[in-house]
Amino acid sequence: MQAKVLRVLEYEKMKEQLYEHVSSSLGRLKIKELTPSTDKEEILIWLEQTYEATKVLRLKGQIPLGGIFDIRASVKRAEIGASLNAAELLEIASTSYGARRLKKFIEEMIEDEVELPLLGDIVQVIIPLTDMEREIKQCISDNGEVLDSASPQLRGFRQQIRSLESGIRSKLESITRSQSSQKMLSDAIVTIRNDRFVVPVKQEYRGSFGGIVHDQSASGATLFIEPQAVVTMNNQLRAAKMSEAKEVERILHELTGKVAEFVDELLLNVDALGELDFIFTKARYSHKIKAVQPKLNDQFSISLFKARHPLIPIEEVVPIDVDLGQSYSSLIITGPNTGGKTVTLKTIGLLTLMAQSGLHIPADEGSEMAVFKTVFADIGDEQSIEQSLSTFSSHMVNIVEILKHVDHESLVLFDELGAGTDPTEGAALAIAILDDVYRRGARVVATTHYSELKGYAYNREGAMNASVEFNVETLRPTYRLLIGVPGRSNAFAISRRLGLEESIIDLAKSQITKETNQVENMIASLEESKKSSDAELEEARHIRKEAEQLRTDLIRQMEGLEQEKAKVLEEAENQAEEAVKKAKQEAEQIIKELRTLQKESHAIKEHKLIEAKKRLEEATPSLQQGKKQRKPKKVEVEVRPGDEVKVLSFGQKGIIVDKINEREFQVQIGIMKMKVAKDDIQPLETVKKKEPKPLATIRGNDVHVKPELDLRGERYEDAMLKVEKYLDDALLAGYHSVSIIHGKGTGALRKGVKELVKKHPHVKHAKDAAANEGGLGNTVVEFK
């Protein structure tokens, strides 16, 4: 993009607002280098990065970006062997800590399942340098001073220095307190000159006091003398300080060497920190101007809803709706001066540049922008006094340059096209320029005063009129943009409001042609129609929003009912299963008690026992799971407009509004109208109260009994229990004889079976089977 265009569209002023939200010099440098991109993929990444940053700020409120410095120069010096001072090393440690803290912050959010893929990729590059950071912090204080603990030698030198300083001060203070010395001193204090401890002595006592003179006052009346008694101690102090300085230098050089080991890592960390600071700067700016992430399209079209110029205070700016590049590619804006035409141009241009810079734009959700290869602007106050160019000449110089480069990937903004010359020639020239730009396929927005251009859009395919609204009653512009309506001059109405005599206005009107009056009347009618349609559209949007909200609420209620229904069914099934389980347990307990009574007393007959058992088994409930509910059988019925029906899929009542075809009807539910299939409709008079479905089906316990029982492999006790139960089941099944296969084995199982069947009251006879049927391994039982 041309620097001139960026200046005219106030791109640099917008960047000044960005600086208010930056956290470090790294981010400031990124802002300074910021220019619009023409690579759509790159812009999409930038916009998504800004969106992720706004998500972080929304969830956390802030991000730890403090303590970060541009340490690249210091790192480069360390790389070539120079020794860094304590302040530089402290900045490196602080930046390393800031990088590590920021990396942890983002990664913890990702672990909490916040989707931040792009920010995650950036922090992944950051390499924690904990050891280097710790070594620097152990040697250098937060004030940038090398600590005594940096080395044992440094601690020793500093202890020596403190001891010598204390001794020197004590010696000098004893001199200042002595009676013989006080009269020779200008003041009883100890001070320092040239790193030596001295006392102020009057000029006239120079010879009497003795020592080394290091300085004198401005008047020369006072000499600052180092007494001979402390010269040796001062020499020792100076030597100790020199040793201290050398040790400090050695420590700093050693720490610089540690930094030099991680040059590449530090530079990578700095780049990542600068990028993150820049991204979060854009996110904070987005929050301040109430911006949204625009969609990007490939059709070179712009669709803005409630767009605002970011440099105008939000409480003062009037939002505008702009549509360009879909049904028309040229927008011609007419209207009075100071009506907001130029602001509209700048808003469209600046928001385009912001979107192509990865910035969110101050507009409503759903706004779309395109990626233009070039943006051209010829806007206001471009007259060059130095070049002695008129307003018209200045504009034409710009337009000629624009026409050399404009193509189908360009956005062109013309302010007061053709102004500054004869109106007839200027209007004709403006039309010719617009036609030329249109043929090249560019998107163009132009403002003008010429009435001839009001009819331009009606005679050109791909062009649309627009105007800025003016309130004749208040004599002030409203700054609203009206698409599809050309602007009116309003000269007569304004003059009348200002008090011009009606006779003069009538005379002026007589000078206007009939065609011009017709055009003005047509424009007035269009303006009224536009206002009316806008109001109706706004009302329709409001109703649609309410309908969508109602639909959402209904769906949510239905889902809640379904969940509640499933919960009730589950609870009922659990209760039924518990009842079945309890019934079985009671049945088994009764059987057990009856058998105990049988053993204790022969008064209970075996057939009564079998009958009791059969009754118990028939009474034992068995739960049949029926989780898949059958859909009610559809009844073919006739419905007519006005009938009250139930929409089965929604479970809501409605009224038949119209019959669309044989298979579909239009039904109104509340304020919402919708198409509904015929088989999804049930007239309310046919809806009958349904009996509740049983949660479980109780049935008898169907037992299939085979004509033989195989006991092979069974333990003795288990086998006897099975034989006992099998005989009862066989009797109930109506068998006259059955076979009990026990095998030969040791003979114990055969013997036990023989004894058991012999005692059974309903067994007539028991014998070994024929040789071809198992012989001794099979006992055949005949019932009475």
Side-chain angles (χ1 to χ4, degrees), residues 580 584 614-625 696-704:
V580 170
K584 285 185 176 180
K614 182 173 178 62
R615 288 197 303 273
L616 284 171
E617 288 179 341
E618 289 175 350
T620 300
S622 175
L623 188 65
Q624 299 296 313
Q625 300 293 341
T697 304
I698 308 300
R699 63 175 177 84
N701 187 11
D702 297 331
V703 181
H704 179 65

Side-chain angles (χ1 to χ4, degrees), residues 392-405:
F392 177 74
S393 299
S394 176
H395 280 298
M396 286 311 301
V397 168
N398 293 332
I399 292 170
V400 168
E401 188 63 26
I402 290 171
L403 295 179
K404 288 180 181 177
H405 303 96

Side-chain angles (χ1 to χ4, degrees), residues 678-716:
K678 183 177 181 180
D679 58 1
D680 196 21
I681 294 173
Q682 193 169 15
L684 281 181
E685 56 268 21
T686 65
V687 179
K688 297 179 181 178
K689 185 175 179 182
K690 296 181 180 179
E691 294 296 330
K693 282 184 130 185
L695 297 177
T697 304
I698 308 300
R699 63 175 177 84
N701 187 11
D702 297 331
V703 181
H704 179 65
V705 183
K706 294 182 179 180
E708 69 273 342
L709 174 66
D710 192 345
L711 299 175
R712 286 175 292 184
E714 297 281 352
R715 294 175 61 252
Y716 182 83

Side-chain angles (χ1 to χ4, degrees), residues 339-462:
K341 300 192 303 297
T342 302
V343 172
T344 298
L345 276 186
K346 289 186 175 181
T347 301
I348 296 170
L350 183 54
L351 266 56
T352 298
L353 299 179
M354 287 176 65
Q356 292 185 212
S357 300
L359 292 163
H360 290 179
I361 60 173
D364 279 5
E365 292 287 351
S367 295
E368 286 192 31
M369 303 297 292
V371 179
F372 293 100
K373 184 179 178 181
T374 50
V375 176
F376 298 105
D378 176 51
I379 298 178
D381 300 333
E382 291 295 319
Q383 185 172 351
S384 174
I385 297 175
E386 293 81 1
Q387 295 178 7
S388 300
L389 294 176
S390 67
T391 300
F392 177 74
S393 299
S394 176
H395 280 298
M396 286 311 301
V397 168
N398 293 332
I399 292 170
V400 168
E401 188 63 26
I402 290 171
L403 295 179
K404 288 180 181 177
H405 303 96
V406 69
D407 60 18
H408 69 284
E409 295 182 325
S410 301
L411 172 65
V412 186
L413 307 172
F414 289 129
D415 190 25
E416 299 300 342
L417 184 59
T421 187
D422 176 76
T424 304
E425 292 181 356
L429 196 56
I431 291 172
I433 292 170
L434 290 172
D435 282 342
D436 183 69
V437 174
Y438 174 75
R439 282 194 297 270
R440 300 186 190 203
R443 303 296 183 259
V444 59
V445 183
T447 67
T448 181
H449 279 302
Y450 293 137
S451 59
E452 288 85 352
L453 287 177
K454 294 178 182 179
Y456 176 81
Y458 295 106
N459 301 320
R460 298 292 193 283
E461 183 182 356

Side-chain angles (χ1 to χ4, degrees), residues 492 496 499-509:
F492 296 149
R496 182 180 291 108
L500 189 64
E501 291 183 11
E502 194 67 33
S503 60
I504 298 176
I505 294 174
D506 291 339
L507 182 61
K509 285 184 176 180

Side-chain angles (χ1 to χ4, degrees), residues 1 24 48 71 96 99 202 244 302 368 370 401 536 547 549 637 651 679 700 781:
M1 300 295 172
S24 70
E48 192 61 28
I71 59 173
S96 179
K202 296 176 182 177
E244 179 208 18
I302 296 174
E368 286 192 31
E401 188 63 26
E536 291 177 0
Q549 184 62 44
V637 292
D679 58 1
V781 179

